Amino acid sequence: MKEYNIVITGVGGQGVLTAANILGWAALHAGHKVRMGEVHGMSQRFGSVVSYVRFGEEVYGSMVPEGKGDVILAFEPVEALRYINYLKEGGMVVVNTKPIVPVQVSMGKARYPELEEIRKIVEEDFKAKWIGFNAEELAIKAGHVVTTNTVLIGALTQIPEFPLDAEHVRDVIRLSVPPKAVEMNMKAFDLGVQAAKEILGL
């Protein structure tokens, strides 16, 4: 495999950087050369955060070039749209459909787009594939909203041509979280896997 590029985006506090570290370690343990980069937003003010995970034989820089992303893992719908230009044509967007409404919207100074508007732009304007579901709801079902990132990682492992084995990623998560949180995260992972399978018809 020459290269595989993942763009992970969300807002501060959602676990974007943790998800990137898990996927980076999983790729490394699978024998790939790995490069990672990140841009810290104003996380304490729910600012935009983006991380890049790149792995393969011909990966040299840490930042995913525009138009080269294989998948965007989005923790929030508008954040998927914010970085859609990094996705290659025919790429995949895996998105948590639970929005985090910005202050400007709450104050009536801006409009938050409808989910179907966002999906239409992704699918029609950028010719990308879409897997969207309420990952936060599944995380709560697993035991805590903090596992939203694990739910999304589980879903990610089911997309066509994803090069990392799902069980291998599970093992990395198991080693990455505190012992008392392992069972909860494994449940969250499985719920994400199941959600993606249902959407993809697997």
Side-chain angles (χ1 to χ4, degrees), residues 131-187:
I131 294 179
F133 63 98
N134 191 329
E136 185 175 309
E137 184 177 68
L138 294 181
I140 293 170
K141 184 177 179 180
H144 200 287
V145 68
V146 74
T147 62
T148 299
N149 55 2
T150 308
V151 173
L152 287 168
I153 291 172
L156 175 64
T157 65
Q158 301 305 302
I159 70 172
E161 300 179 359
F162 184 71
L164 301 179
D165 181 78
E167 289 306 309
H168 189 77
V169 177
R170 277 175 60 95
D171 290 342
V172 173
I173 294 171
R174 190 178 287 111
L175 293 171
S176 301
V177 301
K180 64 181 181 181
V182 169
E183 183 178 351
M184 181 172 64
N185 275 274
M186 292 301 97
K187 184 176 181 181

Side-chain angles (χ1 to χ4, degrees), residues 9 12 16-17 27-28 32 54 85 100 104 112 116 120 145 158 161 171 176 188 193 197:
T9 183
V16 170
L17 304 183
L28 187 66
H32 299 291
R54 313 185 68 201
N85 56 309
I100 296 178
Q104 295 92 331
Y112 192 99
E116 282 306 309
K120 185 177 180 181
V145 68
Q158 301 305 302
E161 300 179 359
D171 290 342
S176 301
V193 167
K197 283 184 174 181

Side-chain angles (χ1 to χ4, degrees), residues 39 77 93 187 190:
V39 177
V93 176
K187 184 176 181 181
D190 290 339

Side-chain angles (χ1 to χ4, degrees), residues 19-31 34 36 53 164 168 172 176:
N21 285 330
I22 288 170
L23 291 168
W25 276 109
L28 187 66
H29 286 296
V34 179
M36 296 174 61
V53 180
L164 301 179
H168 189 77
V172 173
S176 301

